[in-house]
Amino acid sequence: MATLFQGLAAVTPLSPSNSIESNKLLFSSRRSLSERKGNNFVVRSDAKVNKVLKSGAARKHELLIPNAVATQGSSSVASASKPGHELLLFEALREGLEEEMERDPTVCVMGEDVGHYGGSYKVTRNLAEKFGDLRVLDTPIAENAFTGMGIGAAMTGLRPIIEGMNMGFLLLAFNQISNNCGMLHYTSGGQFKIPVVIRGPGGVGRQLGAEHSQRLESYFQSIPGIQMVACSTPYNAKGLMKAAIRSDNPVILFEHVLLYNLKERIPDEEYVLSLEEAEMVRPGEHVTILTYSRMRYHVMQAAKTLVNKGYDPEVIDIRSLKPFDLHTIGNSIKKTHRVLIVEECMRTGGIGASLTAAITENFHDYLDAPIICLSSQDVPTPYAGTLEEWTVVQPAQIVTAVEQLCQ
């Protein structure tokens, strides 16, 4: 293994630069952006959402979509006239990864089927042909081994991206992530940096069963020394990927299995997002709704009904799961004085529980009502579709919770 990384170092000398059903994801051969046509899952831009909300008086009795993920349809003329280029979320992740691999020869990728197969969700497609088998390294089915290998590579000066084929599989590498990835910078007295990115698909999909429907945010949040972010749009997926790769800290990037085919127009010019900032999705006055990942779309679906009922919710995608952006969150709470947390993570010991504690400690005097947290039920995710829906927060529950808060 030492020979392998000596070879990698020789090829790339160290540089001082720093919803769709997952079982039906089929990707055709690589095409240019101008050739991509047909129906795609399209992210609603903030402007479009606001426009729909303001003109929704005639649709007060519109039914909620129980499994809201995104809006399906072809691109509008207005969208086509905007600068930039359209990408699906998995393509945005790949574009960010490819740009960083071109910029910095120490960036490399490792994981199961990431090479010539292109990854289970095609995030690394065509990268092996471009950068070679040493920088895009296929590994055996041995998560603990290749995660440890990536951490060791980071200690020697490389910047590895470790892909878990499914985030649930990374439980097999928990020892490496906890005892080495998060702690080695401290336990070595600062002699080693661990600039590693751990990423992969997770969350409740479409009847993937309990073992493939894990939400590991709650597992990893207690590990000292690790940052955690969750992407929810193609724009922030690319920006967070690039920021995570450039960070000298170990970063876990959570991607939701149902969001890979979300489509959005992103800038042509390079951009990098902050790993520690939340995103204001919808400004409002009556209640602060904190959410992330797939639940962002459940919340925005509920927001249409809430506006029709006379409520004005403020929606924040927290994005940074560790640390929390308490500046953005606090400013919102000081304005609305009410908080609803919506997450897909488990209720016991989840991100919502930690966020509730942080808000209570820092902004208790600004609250006019108790914090409400809507989380997945503390049960293994059922395989049956109808039961699966019952375990995850749905838009109708969000509407009811806001009405309760604003009484």
Side-chain angles (χ1 to χ4, degrees), residues 220-250:
F220 293 131
Q221 67 173 330
S222 61
I223 301 175
I226 285 181
Q227 287 186 267
M228 303 195 312
V229 292
C231 61
S232 55
T233 70
Y235 176 81
N236 66 40
K238 178 182 177 180
L240 292 173
M241 171 70 88
K242 291 172 71 71
I245 293 172
R246 297 186 187 190
S247 175
D248 285 334
N249 297 315

Side-chain angles (χ1 to χ4, degrees), residues 253-287:
L253 173 60
F254 291 95
E255 304 157 13
H256 199 287
V257 68
L258 290 181
L259 299 185
Y260 279 124
N261 271 27
L262 291 175
K263 190 176 185 181
E264 185 180 34
R265 187 172 293 274
I266 68 175
D268 291 326
E269 61 272 11
E270 183 181 32
Y271 66 93
V272 179
L273 298 180
S274 171
L275 293 174
E276 300 178 7
E277 288 185 4
E279 176 188 352
M280 179 66 68
V281 180
R282 182 191 187 279
E285 298 289 338
H286 294 161
V287 59

Side-chain angles (χ1 to χ4, degrees), residues 270-333:
E270 183 181 32
Y271 66 93
V272 179
L273 298 180
S274 171
L275 293 174
E276 300 178 7
E277 288 185 4
E279 176 188 352
M280 179 66 68
V281 180
R282 182 191 187 279
E285 298 289 338
H286 294 161
V287 59
T288 297
I289 305 180
L290 305 174
T291 188
Y292 65 94
S293 190
R294 179 195 174 199
M295 287 295 112
R296 168 176 174 152
Y297 299 97
H298 281 224
V299 169
M300 292 308 295
Q301 178 65 32
K304 294 197 301 181
T305 300
L306 289 169
V307 169
N308 290 339
K309 290 174 174 283
Y311 299 101
D312 186 19
E314 180 154 291
V315 180
I316 296 176
D317 184 342
I318 62 173
R319 288 198 312 207
S320 176
L321 309 185
K322 183 182 179 182
F324 296 130
D325 179 5
L326 292 180
H327 175 75
T328 300
I329 294 170
N331 285 340
S332 178
I333 293 171

Side-chain angles (χ1 to χ4, degrees), residues 42-55 71-76 79 82 300 304:
V42 183
V43 174
R44 295 174 183 260
S45 66
D46 293 342
K48 185 175 181 182
V49 169
N50 288 339
K51 182 178 180 181
V52 171
L53 294 178
K54 291 176 182 177
S55 62
T71 303
Q72 189 175 18
S74 57
S75 300
S76 64
S79 176
K82 293 180 181 178
M300 292 308 295
K304 294 197 301 181

